[in-house]
Structure formats: structure tokens, C-alpha cells
């Protein structure tokens, strides 16, 4: 049910404007599960290494993802471990290029959870999803002392914490919406065969479209950033690393300014010792999967040392299969220093990657700085239009447009921080 519903929902989005893009998304996505094909595609696109997450609908995730139905917590934990074991078996021969992020269980048994962290660290995973990516009602807030052993283990073993779009979703909330999509379209098509469903994708209701739009772009995934900052977690664990990915970058400067103002107003009742903007460059990385044109222009306001480009393989909103063209347009006129930071150096520094090995790979596969910023024909207008249509590449920056939504969550957290303090 789940893959078909997502295929139909994706029919509302346009991977269909250009034949080359449509063909790739229909036939060439198998690098999701075939690491040899994945490496070949990375070489073709000029990607020496990239973060790998669970969550693509063509693979499915047993019991542990936000799109799953309600399952017992022990099944959730088992599903997360199963994905981690599959990922280790599948990608483990080239972990210098496959920067795998572990799936996370319900974390109800901390000793068991710490053993899971040791397991993924022993196999050279780069990170783990942050607790609360999918939530259950008994999960403590991130600033609670319950999590201190988790943070300590991540720091000790060099495991980064990853916040991905969809973070903070209650178990079982999304699944009924997927079922509704399939039911609505199957009724219109008179069939559950995929081709028939795709031919009737216009039967997806506006209610369903709005639900998934809100699900993907709400401010919940931003919440862990200020919870770890204002909740004193980065003070207790100063080497803890947080990655925000697939949730855009254009809101970060305005939100940090707002959080700084909140800190100035409530400092006496907060466990944090510094302003949020002071934790940002030392503890955080903004994963730009992918980056908007406006965000390239905002790179110094965001902090150019905190921005990391990603292509979002093989999702329809990303730059694949035309990443080299995308880089030439997005980073036109960007100085080499900034370019190197956002396309690699920041990842090497933040995750502690093998610089010599990655340099060797990059020299072999490219692109060079000249390939990206040198003289070359302009990127085809229809490809720029495709990038914009699929992922909002040319959208104006969000700025402070969602600060009121941030405040709704922040006011709840301030009460908890004050109790903690």
C-alpha cells in the first residue's frame, strides 16, 4: 500500500517535465539498494561521499518510520535494528563514501539503546537519527537528564545526531492519510494496478495534498535545535554534533536572532550558558539537500562553515540526475574558498572524515572548481525550470515568516526549561 500511495502522491509533483528526469526516476533509482550502482552513480555525478538515510518508499522501513502504522515498541526497535544491519551489510565495504545514518528505536530501554549506538559505531556509521524522529507518548523531552547517557555515548563514539524532515511525528499519524490516498485513487481508477492509479493521480484530494505539504514543511524538525541549545544539552556535552537536513536553510538566521532575544529575556530561568547563535557554529551543520539559489546568497548570514550541499538521491525534489548542471547554476560566481567549504570541507571537518582518501576520490571523479565556476555554456533554461518546479529552487527566502509557529512550540519549551533550571 505504502509504495503505491507515495507513487500516486508523487504524480502530483513534476518529475515529468523533462524526459531525461522522468526516465531516471522511473528506472535508475536502484542505487538505493545496490551499492555498486550507487557508487557508479556517485562517480558520474561527482559525489565522493554522501550521507545515507532510511526513508525511501521504494524500500520501505519495517515498523520504525513515521509513515508506518502503529506497532508495539518492541517491533519498532526490531525494525530499526533490522535496517541498521541491512545497511551495514550492504554499504559496509565502502563506509568512507557511504556515510550511513542509523535508524532509531523508541529508546525506552537506555542500556539497550546504548548497545545499539555502540553497534553502529563499531561499523563506522557516521550518525544516527535523533531520538524523537518518530515519537511515542512516554518519550522525555530532549533536555531531560534521561538522555544524558545517549549524548555521552554519541560524543564518545563520534556519532552525529541527524534531524530529518518529518521529525517529531507521532507513531501512526501518517499511515491513515496514505490509506486515504490509495482508497480515493483506486475508487476513481476502478483498479489498484499501479499504471491505472498513476493515470488517476488527480483523484488525490486537496486535503491529502495539504496534509503531506504540512507534514514535510512544518517547523517541528527545527525544535530539537533550540531544545538542545536552550536546554543546556550542548553545555553538558560540548562536543555533541547536530545535523539538520532536508528542512531548508533560509529560516536559520531569523530564527537564531529570535532565539537570542528569547535567551536575553529568559536567561535567568534557562540552563543554557550561551546564546543560541553561539552554539550554531560549534555544534551544528545545515544539510542543504538540496540548496536553493537564495540560500547560496545567504551563505555568510547562515554561516558558510555550517552549510553542506546534498543532492537528495533519488528523490524527485533533488538535483539528481543532473547534479553537475545544478552545481554550475547554483554556485555561479561563488569564490573557491566558499565553494570548497560547502561542497566538502565542512563535511570533513564536522564528521572527521578521511581527507586524504576523499581527495584522492575527488581528483578521479571531479568536478573541479573550474568545472563549476569556470566559463561554460549556461545551464539549459528548461533544466532550471525543472529544478524549480520539483523543489522550489528559485523560491524567495523564508526569513521570519514562520516565527509565530516557532513561538507556539518555544513557549511550551520555555516552561519545561524553567522547571529544569
Amino acid at each position: 500500500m505504502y509504495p503505491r500511495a507515495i507513487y500516486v502522491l508523487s504524480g502530483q509533483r513534476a518529475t515529468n517535465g523533462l524526459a531525461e528526469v522522468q526516465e531516471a526516476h522511473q528506472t535508475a533509482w536502484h542505487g538505493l539498494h545496490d551499492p555498486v550502482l550507487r557508487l557508479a552513480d556517485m562517480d558520474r555525478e561527482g559525489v565522493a561521499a554522501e550521507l545515507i538515510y532510511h526513508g525511501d518508499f521504494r524500500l520501505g522501513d519495517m515498523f520504525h518510520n513515521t509513515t508506518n502504522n502503529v506497532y508495539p515498541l518492541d517491533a519498532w526497535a526490531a525494525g530499526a535494528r533490522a535496517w541498521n544491519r541491512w545497511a551495514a551489510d550492504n554499504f559496509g565495504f565502502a563506509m568512507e563514501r557511504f556515510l550511513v545514518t542509523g535508524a532509531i528505536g523508541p529508546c525506552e530501554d537506555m542500556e539497550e539503546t546504548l548497545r545499539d549506538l555502540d553497534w553502529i559505531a563499531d561499523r563506522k556509521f557516521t550518525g544516527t537519527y535523533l531520538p524523537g524522529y518518530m515519537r511515542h507518548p512516554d518519550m522525555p523531552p530532549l533536555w531531560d537528564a534521561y538522555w544524558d547517557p545517549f549524548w555521552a555515548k554519541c560524543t564518545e563514539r563520534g556519532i552525529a545526531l541527524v534531524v530529518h524532515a518529518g521529525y517529531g511525528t507521532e507513531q501512526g499519524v501518517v499511515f491513515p492519510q496514505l490509506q486515504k490516498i490509495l482508497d480515493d485513487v483506486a475508487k476513481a481508477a476502478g483498479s489498484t494496478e499501479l499504471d491505472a492509479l498513476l493515470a488517476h493521480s488527480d483523484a488525490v484530494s486537496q486535503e491529502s495534498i495539504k496534509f503531506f505539504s504540512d507534514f514535510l514543511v512544518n517547523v517541528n524538525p527545527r525544535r530539537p535545535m533550540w531544545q538542545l541549545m536552550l536546554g543546556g544539552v550542548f553545555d553538558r556535552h560540548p562536543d555533541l554534533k547536530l545535523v539538520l537536513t532536508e528542512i531548508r536553510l533560509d529560516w536559520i538566521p531569523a530564527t537564531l536572532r529570535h532565539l537570542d532575544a528569547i535567551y536575553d529575556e529568559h536567561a535567568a530561568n534557562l540552563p543554557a550558558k550561551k546564546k543560541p547563535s553561539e552554539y550554531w557554529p560549534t555544534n551544528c551543520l545545515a544539510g542543504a539537500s538540496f540548496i536553493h539559489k537564495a540560500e547560496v546568497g545567504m551563505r555568510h548570514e547562515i554561516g558558510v562553515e555550517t552549510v553542506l550541499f546534498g543532492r537528495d538521491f533519488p528523490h524527485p525534489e533533488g538535483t539528481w540526475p543532473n547534479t553537475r548542471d545544478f552545481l554550475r547554476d547554483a554556485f555561479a560566481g561563488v569564490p573557491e574558498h566558499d565553494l570548497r567549504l560547502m561542497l566538502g570541507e565542512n563535511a570533513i571537518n564536522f564528521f572527521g572524515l578521511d581527507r586524504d582518501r576523499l581527495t584522492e576520490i575527488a581528483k578521479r571523479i571531479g568536478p573541479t572548481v573550474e568545472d563549476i565556476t569556470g566559463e561554460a555554456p549556461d545551464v539549459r533554461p528548461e533544466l532550471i525550470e525543472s529544478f524549480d518546479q520539483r523543489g522550489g529552487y528559485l523560491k524567495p527566502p523564508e526569513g521570519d515568516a514562520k516565527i509565530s509557529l516557532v513561538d507556539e512550540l518555544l513557549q511550551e519549551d520555555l516552561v519545561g526549561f524553567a522547571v529544569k533550571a
Side-chain angles (χ1 to χ4, degrees):
M1 184 278 289
Y2 167 49
R4 289 172 183 264
I6 296 296
Y7 266 123
V8 171
L9 182 63
S10 298
Q12 295 292 315
R13 307 172 68 173
T15 56
N16 54 359
L18 293 177
E20 67 199 79
V21 176
Q22 186 176 22
E23 174 68 14
H25 281 272
Q26 288 177 347
T27 64
W29 52 267
H30 298 282
L32 278 172
H33 58 83
D34 186 325
V36 176
L37 292 179
R38 180 70 166 256
L39 284 175
D41 188 80
M42 290 166 66
D43 286 357
R44 181 188 62 81
E45 292 235 287
V47 177
E50 64 184 356
L51 286 157
I52 292 178
Y53 313 116
H54 70 76
D56 190 274
F57 67 94
R58 288 159 288 201
L59 289 184
D61 298 304
M62 296 186 298
F63 319 131
H64 66 92
N65 203 352
T66 56
T67 50
N68 293 143
N69 209 342
V70 175
Y71 293 100
L73 298 188
D74 59 349
W76 173 356
R81 288 193 198 100
W83 192 89
N84 291 340
R85 280 151 179 73
W86 173 82
D89 289 345
N90 203 50
F91 299 112
F93 70 95
M95 296 296 262
E96 78 279 11
R97 300 195 67 181
F98 298 130
L99 310 181
V100 179
T101 298
I104 190 74
C107 303
E108 59 171 345
D109 182 329
M110 184 53 68
E111 290 304 315
E112 186 178 76
T113 299
L114 297 179
R115 287 193 293 271
D116 290 340
L117 289 175
D118 276 326
W119 193 94
I120 66 172
D122 288 344
R123 285 149 186 85
K124 300 183 180 180
F125 280 46
T126 297
T128 179
Y129 271 41
L130 186 72
Y133 170 65
M134 184 168 69
R135 293 191 53 78
H136 60 81
D138 296 329
M139 191 168 280
L142 295 178
W143 65 83
D144 193 278
Y146 175 80
W147 297 110
D148 279 331
F150 190 103
W151 312 139
K153 180 65 72 174
C154 288
T155 299
E156 173 196 348
R157 299 304 307 269
I159 296 294
L161 303 168
V162 172
V163 173
H164 190 281
Y167 179 91
T169 303
E170 290 285 343
Q171 186 188 34
V173 168
V174 176
F175 187 86
Q177 296 293 330
L178 292 169
Q179 186 69 63
K180 181 180 186 307
I181 287 173
L182 190 62
D183 290 346
D184 288 348
V185 178
K187 182 178 179 180
S191 172
T192 57
E193 292 298 319
L194 183 57
D195 288 344
L197 295 172
L198 290 173
H200 290 80
S201 62
D202 56 356
V204 177
S205 71
Q206 288 303 309
E207 172 193 346
S208 295
I209 293 172
K210 184 178 187 307
F211 175 88
F212 280 96
S213 176
D214 292 345
F215 171 65
L216 291 172
V217 301
N218 66 51
V219 299
N220 289 339
R222 308 177 189 185
R223 194 175 195 177
M225 180 185 76
W226 70 72
Q227 288 185 334
L228 297 179
M229 291 172 169
L230 297 175
V233 176
F234 286 141
D235 293 302
R236 302 196 300 274
H237 306 277
D239 294 325
L240 196 61
K241 300 294 186 182
L242 177 69
V243 184
L244 306 177
T245 189
E246 298 201 26
I247 57 173
R248 308 269 46 91
L249 282 64
D250 52 2
W251 55 271
I252 291 171
T255 299
L256 287 175
R257 287 192 293 270
H258 183 69
L259 293 175
D260 280 356
I262 293 293
Y263 177 83
D264 290 340
E265 182 179 354
H266 297 277
N269 293 318
L270 291 172
K273 297 177 182 178
K274 297 188 292 186
K275 293 182 178 183
S277 61
E278 296 179 84
Y279 298 111
W280 175 253
T282 58
N283 296 88
C284 301
L285 185 71
S289 297
F290 60 99
I291 198 164
H292 287 178
K293 188 77 167 177
E295 292 168 335
V296 176
M298 295 173 66
R299 63 190 182 277
H300 289 289
E301 189 181 0
I302 297 165
V304 69
E305 297 86 0
T306 68
V307 175
L308 179 64
F309 171 80
R311 63 180 180 144
D312 198 18
F313 170 88
H315 290 174
E317 65 271 22
T319 66
W320 179 80
N322 304 99
T323 298
R324 291 178 188 258
D325 285 317
F326 180 91
L327 294 175
R328 281 202 295 119
D329 189 79
F331 294 100
V334 172
E336 179 176 342
H337 172 266
D338 293 5
L339 186 69
R340 288 187 178 277
L341 287 175
M342 293 186 287
L343 297 187
E345 292 292 336
N346 289 338
I348 291 171
N349 295 333
F350 192 84
F351 297 119
L353 305 179
D354 186 336
R355 180 187 303 276
D356 292 340
R357 174 62 177 142
L358 292 176
T359 298
E360 175 187 323
I361 294 167
K363 286 180 178 178
R364 174 173 62 83
I365 67 174
T368 65
V369 172
E370 179 68 17
D371 289 336
I372 298 173
T373 62
E375 291 187 13
D378 290 339
V379 178
R380 291 171 291 147
E382 63 269 24
L383 190 52
I384 302 300
E385 182 181 359
S386 175
F387 289 140
D388 190 40
Q389 187 182 40
R390 286 149 48 197
Y393 170 55
L394 301 177
K395 285 172 57 176
E398 177 187 307
D400 60 2
K402 294 186 178 179
I403 289 295
S404 62
L405 299 177
V406 168
D407 258 340
E408 292 178 15
L409 301 178
L410 185 55
Q411 294 307 315
E412 294 177 15
D413 290 337
L414 286 172
V415 174
F417 296 149
V419 170
K420 173 68 177 178

